[in-house]
Amino acid sequence: MHSTIVLVYQISHQYHQHLLNMYLRIINNEISYPYTIKDLKAAHRNITFPNEIGEETMTQFGLYEVGQTPKPNDYTKNITEGTPVLTDGVYYQNWIQTDASQSEIDYRLENQWGVVREIRNELLAECDWTQLSDIPTETKSIWSEYRQSLRDITSQTNPFNITWPVKP
């Protein structure tokens, strides 16, 4: 029974993974992106597609898989996904970066400092017990340094590149 459950999970996982893959569709030199298997089935309700759509079916319907590329992570840029780029016979995600305005950068910095403070406050709350009156002085002292380092977090210059203190 255990192997049956594992097999069903694997098949289900593969099927859902297939549905989550990214595609583009080219019809009459016009690219539709993003395009999903669900979109294909909705556009062709009179056709019963197999769970695994093979290369022949993909070619017949002008469907191409799009390889994922990591989204750049730069708070000083506005990043949008453009039309995938064909490289060596494979389509890949294309990230378009433009400079963010100063007000956009300030907004992102302010929000990120809020996230940093939230994490810092949670970490402080997790170790509040170390400062209770019945805790040995040596333990209090060690944890007190850590707690002060947490409080000093906001004196760092970049909230997107925080160096967090290590718990004792």
Side-chain angles (χ1 to χ4, degrees):
M1 175 155 165
H2 175 69
S3 60
T4 304
I5 292 170
V6 170
L7 180 60
V8 168
Y9 169 76
Q10 288 173 341
I11 291 169
S12 174
H13 179 72
Q14 288 171 349
Y15 175 70
H16 287 293
Q17 197 58 37
H18 183 68
L19 290 177
L20 295 175
N21 286 349
M22 296 187 315
Y23 300 92
L24 63 79
R25 185 168 186 214
I26 303 175
I27 301 294
N28 299 326
N29 291 323
E30 188 175 317
I31 295 176
S32 297
Y33 179 79
Y35 201 84
T36 65
I37 298 299
K38 187 177 178 180
D39 295 331
L40 180 67
K41 290 179 178 183
H44 301 280
R45 294 185 192 282
N46 59 336
I47 299 175
T48 302
F49 291 96
N51 285 341
E52 281 293 315
I53 298 198
E55 235 176 273
E56 184 180 322
T57 303
M58 287 178 58
T59 302
Q60 179 183 354
F61 288 93
L63 211 59
Y64 299 88
E65 194 161 352
V66 176
Q68 293 184 15
T69 58
K71 183 177 180 180
N73 188 10
D74 183 346
Y75 70 94
T76 67
K77 303 285 184 190
N78 291 325
I79 301 166
T80 56
E81 188 174 5
T83 303
V85 176
L86 183 62
T87 306
D88 298 326
V90 178
Y91 284 96
Y92 291 98
Q93 277 180 304
N94 178 30
W95 298 104
I96 299 168
Q97 299 183 57
T98 57
D99 290 335
S101 69
Q102 189 58 51
S103 64
E104 289 171 316
I105 293 170
D106 292 344
Y107 178 79
R108 292 172 187 159
L109 286 167
E110 183 181 322
N111 281 342
Q112 188 62 23
W113 277 121
V115 169
V116 168
R117 284 185 190 93
E118 225 175 272
I119 294 168
R120 185 255 336 253
N121 293 345
E122 287 174 17
L123 292 171
L124 281 168
E126 286 175 8
C127 62
D128 279 348
W129 64 269
T130 65
Q131 303 306 301
L132 296 174
S133 60
D134 60 342
I135 300 297
T137 306
E138 186 178 314
T139 303
K140 274 186 179 182
S141 177
I142 292 169
W143 280 92
S144 184
E145 289 175 31
Y146 167 74
R147 290 169 60 82
Q148 187 58 53
S149 295
L150 285 174
R151 286 187 200 94
D152 294 340
I153 280 291
T154 56
S155 65
Q156 294 184 35
T157 58
N158 184 349
F160 291 96
N161 188 22
I162 294 292
T163 302
W164 292 94
V166 178
K167 285 183 183 179

